[in-house]
PDB file of all heavy atoms in Angstrom:
ATOM      1  N   HIS K 121     -24.406 -19.735 -14.276  1.00 98.00           N
ATOM      2  CA  HIS K 121     -24.239 -20.400 -15.571  1.00 98.00           C
ATOM      3  C   HIS K 121     -25.339 -21.437 -15.776  1.00 98.00           C
ATOM      4  O   HIS K 121     -25.959 -21.488 -16.854  1.00 98.00           O
ATOM      5  CB  HIS K 121     -22.861 -21.061 -15.658  1.00 98.00           C
ATOM      6  CG  HIS K 121     -22.603 -21.715 -16.977  1.00 98.00           C
ATOM      7  ND1 HIS K 121     -22.804 -23.070 -17.190  1.00 98.00           N
ATOM      8  CD2 HIS K 121     -22.182 -21.208 -18.169  1.00 98.00           C
ATOM      9  CE1 HIS K 121     -22.510 -23.364 -18.451  1.00 98.00           C
ATOM     10  NE2 HIS K 121     -22.139 -22.255 -19.059  1.00 98.00           N
ATOM     11  N   SER K 122     -25.592 -22.239 -14.767  1.00 98.00           N
ATOM     12  CA  SER K 122     -26.642 -23.257 -14.881  1.00 98.00           C
ATOM     13  C   SER K 122     -27.998 -22.613 -15.118  1.00 98.00           C
ATOM     14  O   SER K 122     -28.785 -23.063 -15.963  1.00 98.00           O
ATOM     15  CB  SER K 122     -26.679 -24.113 -13.613  1.00 98.00           C
ATOM     16  OG  SER K 122     -25.466 -24.794 -13.426  1.00 98.00           O
ATOM     17  N   HIS K 123     -28.270 -21.551 -14.375  1.00 98.00           N
ATOM     18  CA  HIS K 123     -29.575 -20.892 -14.487  1.00 98.00           C
ATOM     19  C   HIS K 123     -29.787 -20.276 -15.864  1.00 98.00           C
ATOM     20  O   HIS K 123     -30.822 -20.521 -16.509  1.00 98.00           O
ATOM     21  CB  HIS K 123     -29.700 -19.811 -13.418  1.00 98.00           C
ATOM     22  CG  HIS K 123     -30.872 -18.900 -13.613  1.00 98.00           C
ATOM     23  ND1 HIS K 123     -32.161 -19.264 -13.307  1.00 98.00           N
ATOM     24  CD2 HIS K 123     -30.951 -17.636 -14.131  1.00 98.00           C
ATOM     25  CE1 HIS K 123     -32.989 -18.277 -13.613  1.00 98.00           C
ATOM     26  NE2 HIS K 123     -32.285 -17.273 -14.112  1.00 98.00           N
ATOM     27  N   LEU K 124     -28.823 -19.480 -16.335  1.00 98.00           N
ATOM     28  CA  LEU K 124     -29.006 -18.791 -17.613  1.00 98.00           C
ATOM     29  C   LEU K 124     -28.993 -19.766 -18.781  1.00 98.00           C
ATOM     30  O   LEU K 124     -29.758 -19.602 -19.744  1.00 98.00           O
ATOM     31  CB  LEU K 124     -27.916 -17.732 -17.796  1.00 98.00           C
ATOM     32  CG  LEU K 124     -27.973 -16.534 -16.842  1.00 98.00           C
ATOM     33  CD1 LEU K 124     -26.802 -15.595 -17.103  1.00 98.00           C
ATOM     34  CD2 LEU K 124     -29.298 -15.783 -16.978  1.00 98.00           C
ATOM     35  N   ARG K 125     -28.161 -20.774 -18.715  1.00 98.00           N
ATOM     36  CA  ARG K 125     -28.125 -21.766 -19.798  1.00 98.00           C
ATOM     37  C   ARG K 125     -29.446 -22.527 -19.873  1.00 98.00           C
ATOM     38  O   ARG K 125     -29.964 -22.782 -20.961  1.00 98.00           O
ATOM     39  CB  ARG K 125     -26.964 -22.736 -19.584  1.00 98.00           C
ATOM     40  CG  ARG K 125     -26.856 -23.782 -20.686  1.00 98.00           C
ATOM     41  CD  ARG K 125     -25.554 -24.539 -20.615  1.00 98.00           C
ATOM     42  NE  ARG K 125     -25.471 -25.518 -21.688  1.00 98.00           N
ATOM     43  CZ  ARG K 125     -24.362 -26.126 -22.049  1.00 98.00           C
ATOM     44  NH1 ARG K 125     -23.223 -25.846 -21.427  1.00 98.00           N
ATOM     45  NH2 ARG K 125     -24.369 -27.018 -23.014  1.00 98.00           N
ATOM     46  N   HIS K 126     -29.998 -22.850 -18.706  1.00 98.00           N
ATOM     47  CA  HIS K 126     -31.278 -23.569 -18.689  1.00 98.00           C
ATOM     48  C   HIS K 126     -32.402 -22.688 -19.232  1.00 98.00           C
ATOM     49  O   HIS K 126     -33.273 -23.167 -19.981  1.00 98.00           O
ATOM     50  CB  HIS K 126     -31.594 -24.010 -17.257  1.00 98.00           C
ATOM     51  CG  HIS K 126     -32.956 -24.650 -17.114  1.00 98.00           C
ATOM     52  ND1 HIS K 126     -33.226 -25.944 -17.530  1.00 98.00           N
ATOM     53  CD2 HIS K 126     -34.119 -24.162 -16.604  1.00 98.00           C
ATOM     54  CE1 HIS K 126     -34.486 -26.232 -17.285  1.00 98.00           C
ATOM     55  NE2 HIS K 126     -35.057 -25.165 -16.725  1.00 98.00           N
ATOM     56  N   ARG K 127     -32.386 -21.404 -18.907  1.00 98.00           N
ATOM     57  CA  ARG K 127     -33.488 -20.526 -19.308  1.00 98.00           C
ATOM     58  C   ARG K 127     -33.392 -20.081 -20.765  1.00 98.00           C
ATOM     59  O   ARG K 127     -34.417 -19.993 -21.451  1.00 98.00           O
ATOM     60  CB  ARG K 127     -33.535 -19.295 -18.394  1.00 98.00           C
ATOM     61  CG  ARG K 127     -34.728 -18.391 -18.677  1.00 98.00           C
ATOM     62  CD  ARG K 127     -34.880 -17.289 -17.660  1.00 98.00           C
ATOM     63  NE  ARG K 127     -36.082 -16.501 -17.912  1.00 98.00           N
ATOM     64  CZ  ARG K 127     -36.472 -15.451 -17.205  1.00 98.00           C
ATOM     65  NH1 ARG K 127     -35.753 -15.068 -16.162  1.00 98.00           N
ATOM     66  NH2 ARG K 127     -37.577 -14.789 -17.517  1.00 98.00           N
ATOM     67  N   TYR K 128     -32.161 -19.810 -21.228  1.00 98.00           N
ATOM     68  CA  TYR K 128     -32.011 -19.201 -22.552  1.00 98.00           C
ATOM     69  C   TYR K 128     -31.239 -20.051 -23.560  1.00 98.00           C
ATOM     70  O   TYR K 128     -31.243 -19.742 -24.747  1.00 98.00           O
ATOM     71  CB  TYR K 128     -31.301 -17.844 -22.433  1.00 98.00           C
ATOM     72  CG  TYR K 128     -32.019 -16.864 -21.539  1.00 98.00           C
ATOM     73  CD1 TYR K 128     -31.449 -16.466 -20.333  1.00 98.00           C
ATOM     74  CD2 TYR K 128     -33.265 -16.338 -21.890  1.00 98.00           C
ATOM     75  CE1 TYR K 128     -32.093 -15.565 -19.502  1.00 98.00           C
ATOM     76  CE2 TYR K 128     -33.910 -15.435 -21.066  1.00 98.00           C
ATOM     77  CZ  TYR K 128     -33.333 -15.052 -19.875  1.00 98.00           C
ATOM     78  OH  TYR K 128     -33.982 -14.158 -19.054  1.00 98.00           O
ATOM     79  N   GLY K 129     -30.553 -21.073 -23.070  1.00 97.00           N
ATOM     80  CA  GLY K 129     -29.734 -21.879 -23.958  1.00 97.00           C
ATOM     81  C   GLY K 129     -28.300 -21.391 -24.008  1.00 97.00           C
ATOM     82  O   GLY K 129     -28.003 -20.225 -23.721  1.00 97.00           O
ATOM     83  N   ASP K 379     -31.607 -11.422 -13.467  1.00 97.00           N
ATOM     84  CA  ASP K 379     -32.493 -12.094 -14.423  1.00 97.00           C
ATOM     85  C   ASP K 379     -33.947 -12.008 -13.965  1.00 97.00           C
ATOM     86  O   ASP K 379     -34.758 -12.874 -14.283  1.00 97.00           O
ATOM     87  CB  ASP K 379     -32.068 -13.562 -14.589  1.00 97.00           C
ATOM     88  CG  ASP K 379     -32.612 -14.176 -15.870  1.00 97.00           C
ATOM     89  OD1 ASP K 379     -32.587 -13.495 -16.912  1.00 97.00           O
ATOM     90  OD2 ASP K 379     -33.080 -15.329 -15.825  1.00 97.00           O
ATOM     91  N   VAL K 380     -34.267 -10.934 -13.225  1.00 97.00           N
ATOM     92  CA  VAL K 380     -35.646 -10.714 -12.800  1.00 97.00           C
ATOM     93  C   VAL K 380     -36.569 -10.550 -14.002  1.00 97.00           C
ATOM     94  O   VAL K 380     -37.718 -10.998 -13.995  1.00 97.00           O
ATOM     95  CB  VAL K 380     -35.716  -9.463 -11.883  1.00 97.00           C
ATOM     96  CG1 VAL K 380     -37.141  -8.960 -11.739  1.00 97.00           C
ATOM     97  CG2 VAL K 380     -35.133  -9.799 -10.515  1.00 97.00           C
ATOM     98  N   PHE K 381     -36.070  -9.911 -15.068  1.00 97.00           N
ATOM     99  CA  PHE K 381     -36.881  -9.677 -16.271  1.00 97.00           C
ATOM    100  C   PHE K 381     -36.419 -10.599 -17.396  1.00 97.00           C
ATOM    101  O   PHE K 381     -35.289 -11.099 -17.392  1.00 97.00           O
ATOM    102  CB  PHE K 381     -36.810  -8.212 -16.692  1.00 97.00           C
ATOM    103  CG  PHE K 381     -35.416  -7.720 -17.015  1.00 97.00           C
ATOM    104  CD1 PHE K 381     -35.048  -7.418 -18.316  1.00 97.00           C
ATOM    105  CD2 PHE K 381     -34.476  -7.526 -16.006  1.00 97.00           C
ATOM    106  CE1 PHE K 381     -33.777  -6.960 -18.615  1.00 97.00           C
ATOM    107  CE2 PHE K 381     -33.204  -7.060 -16.287  1.00 97.00           C
ATOM    108  CZ  PHE K 381     -32.848  -6.781 -17.596  1.00 97.00           C
ATOM    109  N   ASP K 382     -37.263 -10.800 -18.367  1.00 97.00           N
ATOM    110  CA  ASP K 382     -37.000 -11.740 -19.458  1.00 97.00           C
ATOM    111  C   ASP K 382     -36.021 -11.131 -20.467  1.00 97.00           C
ATOM    112  O   ASP K 382     -36.250 -10.045 -21.001  1.00 97.00           O
ATOM    113  CB  ASP K 382     -38.318 -12.096 -20.151  1.00 97.00           C
ATOM    114  CG  ASP K 382     -38.147 -13.153 -21.224  1.00 97.00           C
ATOM    115  OD1 ASP K 382     -37.077 -13.798 -21.278  1.00 97.00           O
ATOM    116  OD2 ASP K 382     -39.088 -13.345 -22.020  1.00 97.00           O
ATOM    117  N   HIS K 383     -34.944 -11.840 -20.736  1.00 98.00           N
ATOM    118  CA  HIS K 383     -33.919 -11.383 -21.670  1.00 98.00           C
ATOM    119  C   HIS K 383     -34.024 -12.052 -23.039  1.00 98.00           C
ATOM    120  O   HIS K 383     -33.155 -11.856 -23.889  1.00 98.00           O
ATOM    121  CB  HIS K 383     -32.519 -11.680 -21.115  1.00 98.00           C
ATOM    122  CG  HIS K 383     -32.146 -10.854 -19.915  1.00 98.00           C
ATOM    123  ND1 HIS K 383     -32.722 -11.025 -18.676  1.00 98.00           N
ATOM    124  CD2 HIS K 383     -31.232  -9.856 -19.760  1.00 98.00           C
ATOM    125  CE1 HIS K 383     -32.190 -10.174 -17.818  1.00 98.00           C
ATOM    126  NE2 HIS K 383     -31.293  -9.455 -18.436  1.00 98.00           N
ATOM    127  N   SER K 384     -35.069 -12.815 -23.251  1.00 97.00           N
ATOM    128  CA  SER K 384     -35.150 -13.611 -24.482  1.00 97.00           C
ATOM    129  C   SER K 384     -35.016 -12.764 -25.740  1.00 97.00           C
ATOM    130  O   SER K 384     -34.365 -13.166 -26.713  1.00 97.00           O
ATOM    131  CB  SER K 384     -36.483 -14.378 -24.525  1.00 97.00           C
ATOM    132  OG  SER K 384     -36.591 -15.259 -23.436  1.00 97.00           O
TER     133      SER K 384
END
Side-chain angles (χ1 to χ4, degrees):
H121 182 264
S122 298
H123 168 77
L124 292 178
R125 181 168 181 165
H126 175 76
R127 185 172 184 181
Y128 302 113
D379 199 42
V380 164
F381 60 110
D382 185 13
H383 291 71
S384 299

